Amino acid sequence: MEIIVGIDVSNDRLDVHVLPSGEALSVENDHAGVEDLVRRLTALSPAVVGLETTGSFERLAVAALAGAGQATVVVNPVRV
């Protein structure tokens, strides 16, 4: 079964939801938090990770996830 991850992005934190398990977690939107997120998601091997574009608050996470080989898409929050 494919694992899909959605991330709600804000200045201070990343709220993560994993389907189909329903697992939810939050990490700080800083280097340490994003490193923790990458480690956790690498262990899950999701098919795709989707993040909303939020005027640059998503950049650190997108760069780290893509750098770790995660299939990462940035979506317009109006369309989600």
Side-chain angles (χ1 to χ4, degrees), residues 3 5 13 23 30 35 42 52 54 56-57 66 74:
I3 296 173
V5 176
R13 72 176 196 228
E23 177 185 358
D30 59 17
E35 285 178 15
T42 298
E52 64 178 332
T54 56
S56 77
F57 297 134
V74 179

Side-chain angles (χ1 to χ4, degrees), residues 2-75:
E2 284 189 333
I3 296 173
I4 299 172
V5 176
I7 302 176
D8 182 40
V9 178
S10 71
N11 182 39
D12 298 326
R13 72 176 196 228
L14 304 170
D15 294 318
V16 182
H17 192 81
V18 180
L19 292 176
S21 71
E23 177 185 358
L25 61 112
S26 290
V27 297
E28 297 296 316
N29 193 1
D30 59 17
H31 288 283
V34 169
E35 285 178 15
D36 182 37
L37 176 65
V38 168
R39 181 183 53 77
R40 290 180 184 210
L41 294 186
T42 298
L44 292 175
S45 298
V48 67
V49 179
L51 301 92
E52 64 178 332
T53 182
T54 56
S56 77
F57 297 134
E58 76 285 354
R59 289 183 183 168
L60 178 61
V62 169
L65 290 164
Q70 298 294 323
T72 306
V73 295
V74 179
V75 295

